[in-house]
Amino acid sequence: MTVAHAGSRDGSQAPANAGRSGHGTPAGTVRVAGGQGFWGDDLEAPVRQVEGGDIDYLMLDYLAEVTMSIMQKQRSRDPRAGYARDFVALMERIFPACMERGIKVVTNAGGVNPAECARAVAEAGRGAGAGGRARVGVVTGDDLMDRLDELLASGHPLDNMETGQPLAAIRDRVRSANVYLGARPIVAALDAGATVVVTGRSTDTALTYGPLAREFGWPWDAWDLLASGVVAGHINECGAQASGGNCSAEWWSIPDLAGVGFPIIEASPGGNFVVTKHEGTGGAVNLRTVKEQILYEMGDPSSYITPDVVADFTTIRLSDEGGDRVGVHGIRGRPPTPSLKVSVAYSAGFKAVGTLVYAWPDAAAKARAAATILRERLDRLGLAFDRVLVELVGWDATHGHLAGDPPPDLPEVELRVGVRGTNRASVERFTREVAPLVLTGPPSVTGFAGGRPRVQEIVAYWPALIDRRVVEPRVAVDVVEV
């Protein structure tokens, strides 16, 4: 890993917990606030986290596999795109408060173009009056696109983790390839004086445990401490999902979701931490909400693999401390695996989705008849698709065949028909066959609007592994003056 423009440390870059006092937060702790759970999350949440109380870091998670695919499509149309533009406008808004309160921001909003994102953030910082007081750190090295042929030729097949198929089978359709980086480059950027750190495809958890590792000086072989940071990051990464949002257990009992508070990790140097939220905010932090988030996206709970450590989630111990505070402790970790995960996006054909709403009486029967008529017309036109999916929204779209037969008195139902295939012309013709059903099919279509269905390119996900030794030396950290 290389570091460029690593400025000297001064008092403004001292660890956030140094000399902490007041605000009800124990001395020696670091508070990392979660502000975004995905690209498109509550735009006001980061503002509430910054202005609502005492925090040291604001963590903003924008990326998912599908998000990387969307950003890559944007960059293919505009070389200056490919990142979460919402983040730039947000930073222009919160820069003054962050500078005044000494809050650092760590985010993966850089997507597939972190350098351009950092440039835009620096410009926003200057516009917000943060010039001379802020520095934007850029973490690169996750983008393997320019190295794919070299890697394949040198014996790294990047086999699909689910099917075993080698990447060479779809090489000509690959749109992006990004390796998941851990917390080390984030720590390097912070050590270099960054007040805002912008990454590309960082692991979600690293956005939280990177600041903790840096503030507490955790060694990179302190497996239990790093694993604790990973669990903290996992709880923090999905925004309000840890503080009452999307809660399946007695969801109706969660108060004031309109003003839900996002989670805050209050960590100590020994690895123990508390999950909480700002006082006076809505939602709830309790054993139910924290347990649900811990189980989110869980495979083998004894082996939660990250680039820096393997965390054993079976060792997690929770304690309800009351007042929207849950203690977390006892976490154990093991050395990381020799591989890093790679997220590849590739072109996989085209799709289109059309909808019609049918009203009572016999709403479901009409919708099913319309679907049958549509299929017959497509067959007569000689149109073939890889898949045709028919759903009755309002009855079986969520549970499929488990929903059984709809009741005859169903007041209304939306017929949703989707097709996918490699032939764009066939998908395009499908989009012209939906609207005619209004007058040439069963009666009572209502709510028809939006025009002809739109053909969309399908960008599919290809998970793979790569030897970490060919990735980490290519990481670079640049610090841009605001």
Side-chain angles (χ1 to χ4, degrees):
M1 182 169 64
T2 60
V3 180
H5 309 299
S8 60
R9 289 279 295 274
D10 56 28
S12 64
Q13 301 302 326
N17 63 321
R20 174 189 286 285
S21 63
H23 307 293
T25 303
T29 61
V30 171
R31 285 164 62 93
V32 182
Q36 290 278 280
F38 63 96
W39 189 19
D41 204 354
D42 185 351
L43 293 174
E44 296 300 311
V47 180
R48 295 197 300 270
Q49 292 289 63
V50 168
E51 298 179 351
D54 183 29
I55 64 172
D56 301 302
Y57 286 86
L58 177 66
M59 181 281 289
L60 302 169
D61 179 17
Y62 287 89
L63 299 185
E65 285 76 13
V66 67
T67 314
M68 296 295 284
S69 302
I70 293 170
M71 289 178 169
Q72 181 56 40
K73 290 174 69 173
Q74 291 176 341
R75 190 175 69 170
S76 68
R77 295 190 294 265
D78 178 359
R80 298 185 65 178
Y83 61 88
R85 293 183 182 272
D86 296 352
F87 172 65
V88 178
L90 168 68
M91 285 308 303
E92 186 168 16
R93 183 176 175 187
I94 66 174
F95 248 129
C98 287
M99 295 300 96
E100 178 185 347
R101 303 181 184 205
I103 299 170
K104 297 181 176 66
V105 179
V106 181
T107 181
N108 55 16
V112 299
N113 202 348
E116 185 62 28
C117 180
R119 184 204 63 76
V121 170
E123 183 177 334
R126 287 189 285 270
R133 297 184 295 153
R135 309 179 80 190
V136 182
V138 189
V139 175
T140 60
D142 62 296
D143 191 345
L144 302 181
M145 193 63 184
D146 292 340
R147 300 180 58 205
L148 273 187
D149 293 329
E150 165 205 335
L151 292 169
L152 292 173
S154 59
H156 302 279
L158 296 174
D159 295 339
N160 189 303
M161 294 172 62
E162 298 173 353
T163 68
Q165 189 178 19
L167 186 68
I170 60 157
R171 173 63 186 92
D172 60 333
R173 292 186 281 148
V174 172
R175 293 298 189 87
S176 65
N178 296 82
V179 63
Y180 287 79
L181 301 180
R184 296 189 187 210
I186 293 174
V187 172
L190 292 170
D191 280 341
T195 50
V196 179
V197 180
V198 175
T199 79
R201 182 63 278 190
S202 166
T203 60
D204 304 341
T205 57
L207 304 176
T208 294
Y209 78 84
L212 299 182
R214 190 260 175 173
E215 295 294 336
F216 298 137
W218 288 344
W220 294 111
D221 60 355
W223 311 125
D224 292 348
L225 295 176
L226 294 174
S228 295
V230 166
V231 173
H234 179 72
I235 293 171
N236 222 17
E237 71 182 68
C238 290
Q241 195 162 278
S243 52
N246 197 27
C247 181
S248 61
E250 299 182 6
W251 60 268
W252 58 89
S253 68
I254 304 298
D256 189 20
L257 282 175
V260 64
F262 274 47
I264 298 171
I265 299 298
E266 185 179 290
S268 63
N272 296 344
F273 62 90
V274 170
V275 187
T276 187
K277 62 185 183 70
H278 284 317
E279 291 184 10
T281 58
V285 176
N286 54 42
L287 292 178
R288 292 200 323 263
T289 64
V290 173
K291 285 179 179 179
E292 281 204 29
Q293 175 56 29
I294 287 175
L295 293 174
Y296 172 73
E297 289 187 338
M298 182 55 57
D300 180 354
S302 67
S303 297
Y304 189 96
I305 300 172
T306 76
D308 297 310
V309 66
V310 177
D312 184 352
F313 275 44
T314 68
T315 62
I316 298 173
R317 298 295 178 265
L318 305 178
S319 59
D320 191 344
E321 300 187 4
D324 290 309
R325 294 176 64 85
V326 172
V328 186
H329 56 93
I331 302 157
R332 304 299 299 273
R334 304 190 302 276
T337 65
S339 301
L340 295 175
K341 187 176 179 180
V342 181
S343 176
V344 177
Y346 68 99
S347 178
F350 304 90
K351 67 178 180 179
V353 179
T355 62
L356 294 172
V357 179
Y358 287 87
W360 179 91
D362 306 316
K366 294 170 184 174
R368 285 179 168 175
T372 299
I373 293 168
L374 178 61
R375 289 296 301 269
E376 289 179 359
R377 291 176 180 172
L378 296 176
D379 289 342
R380 290 177 184 180
L381 290 169
L383 303 179
F385 304 97
D386 295 337
R387 188 180 182 192
V388 178
L389 179 64
V390 176
E391 297 175 327
L392 302 188
V393 181
W395 184 250
D396 68 0
T398 299
H399 299 291
H401 71 278
L402 296 177
D405 293 324
D409 59 347
L410 197 66
E412 62 185 34
V413 70
E414 179 184 81
L415 170 65
R416 182 163 63 192
V417 182
V419 301
R420 61 175 295 172
T422 56
N423 188 314
R424 184 185 181 105
S426 293
V427 177
E428 181 70 42
R429 184 56 192 267
F430 159 80
T431 68
R432 299 170 179 267
E433 295 300 318
V434 177
L437 287 168
V438 175
L439 297 182
T440 65
S444 78
V445 170
T446 183
F448 177 73
R452 184 184 302 159
R454 183 167 59 95
V455 177
Q456 296 176 284
E457 182 183 9
I458 299 171
V459 180
Y461 174 55
W462 181 286
L465 296 176
I466 193 167
D467 187 333
R468 66 168 59 242
R469 292 174 297 181
V470 303
V471 175
E472 287 190 323
R474 302 295 294 266
V475 175
V477 179
D478 297 316
V479 177
V480 181
E481 293 284 358
V482 173

